[in-house]
Amino acid sequence: MSTEATLLERCQSKCELCGSDSSLAPFVVSPHTQVTVDHAVMICDTCKGQIENPETVDVNHWRCLNDSMWSQEVPVQVMAWRQLKKLSATEGWAQDLLDMMYMEEETAKWAEIGMDDNAEKPLDVNGVELKKGDDVTIIKDLPIKGSSQVIKQGTVVRNINVSDTDPTHIQGKVNGQAMYVIAEYCRKK
């Protein structure tokens, strides 16, 4: 029996998160990369779309987690916890469900590891992740807000810091002045 057939049998041909029976597909639960029965869930297109594009989240759709969080399947527990964790920042009911949810210690670690992977990271023009202490080169002339000055193309910014508030920005000294620069206008040296 194929992995997908085993997953369909496990979920009785219904989305393991919301219970929908349309357009089901296996979804690998990060940080894993292979579709296996132990590392994947069967979810519908609606759930998949909202997981992959958090800006399209319909909060009321995720009230279904009230049921799926109690699943005996570990990958389903992990996905339910992650969605509740994201929603709990703005939704009181999600925090209430999180407070009730129980997971084994190993399952909780898996859930938290995957949350870190989803965090947005500063990327340079080539898609390379920038980290604290890196040196970067500015790839085009950048005007400095509130000033008539310009950071010239080719300027090197050494020993950068990563912004805590906005992952699209880095911080460093340019011509002796500390300032923020948009990461996509830099190239890692």
Side-chain angles (χ1 to χ4, degrees):
M1 186 181 286
S2 73
T3 303
E4 190 168 338
T6 305
L7 287 168
L8 279 169
E9 186 178 305
R10 177 179 87 187
C11 70
Q12 300 171 352
S13 297
K14 293 188 181 197
C15 175
E16 291 185 281
L17 296 178
C18 74
S20 171
D21 58 2
S22 63
S23 302
L24 299 177
F27 183 83
V28 179
V29 182
S30 66
H32 302 285
T33 56
Q34 300 286 326
V35 175
T36 67
V37 175
D38 295 330
H39 300 136
V41 293
M42 285 301 272
I43 59 175
C44 65
D45 284 343
T46 303
C47 288
K48 183 178 183 203
Q50 291 187 37
I51 289 167
E52 292 178 343
N53 302 306
E55 63 277 356
T56 66
V57 167
D58 172 12
V59 174
N60 288 323
H61 172 78
W62 293 107
R63 290 188 181 266
C64 61
L65 297 174
N66 187 37
D67 295 326
S68 56
M69 68 185 240
W70 302 111
S71 172
Q72 296 299 308
E73 303 301 332
V74 173
V76 178
Q77 292 174 13
V78 169
M79 290 302 298
W81 185 88
R82 287 179 184 172
Q83 285 306 113
L84 287 170
K85 187 75 173 168
K86 289 176 186 172
L87 292 167
S88 68
T90 58
E91 302 296 320
W93 62 266
Q95 184 59 54
D96 292 343
L97 291 179
L98 263 180
D99 292 343
M100 287 189 289
M101 192 170 181
Y102 172 79
M103 292 188 298
E104 296 291 332
E105 189 175 332
E106 191 174 304
T107 305
K109 284 181 184 175
W110 178 12
E112 289 173 13
I113 288 170
M115 289 298 286
D116 294 342
D117 290 347
N118 294 334
E120 201 172 335
K121 299 173 179 101
L123 303 175
D124 78 354
V125 68
N126 297 319
V128 176
E129 182 182 347
L130 299 174
K131 295 183 176 147
K132 182 178 179 173
D134 286 345
D135 295 341
V136 297
T137 304
I138 305 298
I139 62 163
K140 71 179 219 171
D141 289 355
L142 298 174
I144 299 173
K145 274 190 180 177
S147 165
S148 61
Q149 296 177 329
V150 174
I151 303 171
K152 294 289 186 186
Q153 177 181 348
T155 301
V156 176
V157 182
R158 299 192 187 284
N159 198 20
I160 65 166
N161 281 317
V162 178
S163 172
D164 292 332
T165 55
D166 187 349
T168 63
H169 289 79
I170 58 161
Q171 183 182 17
K173 284 195 174 188
V174 179
N175 302 330
Q177 263 187 316
M179 61 183 64
Y180 287 95
V181 178
I182 298 173
E184 67 185 40
Y185 297 133
C186 303
R187 180 179 300 116
K188 185 174 178 177
K189 287 192 82 146

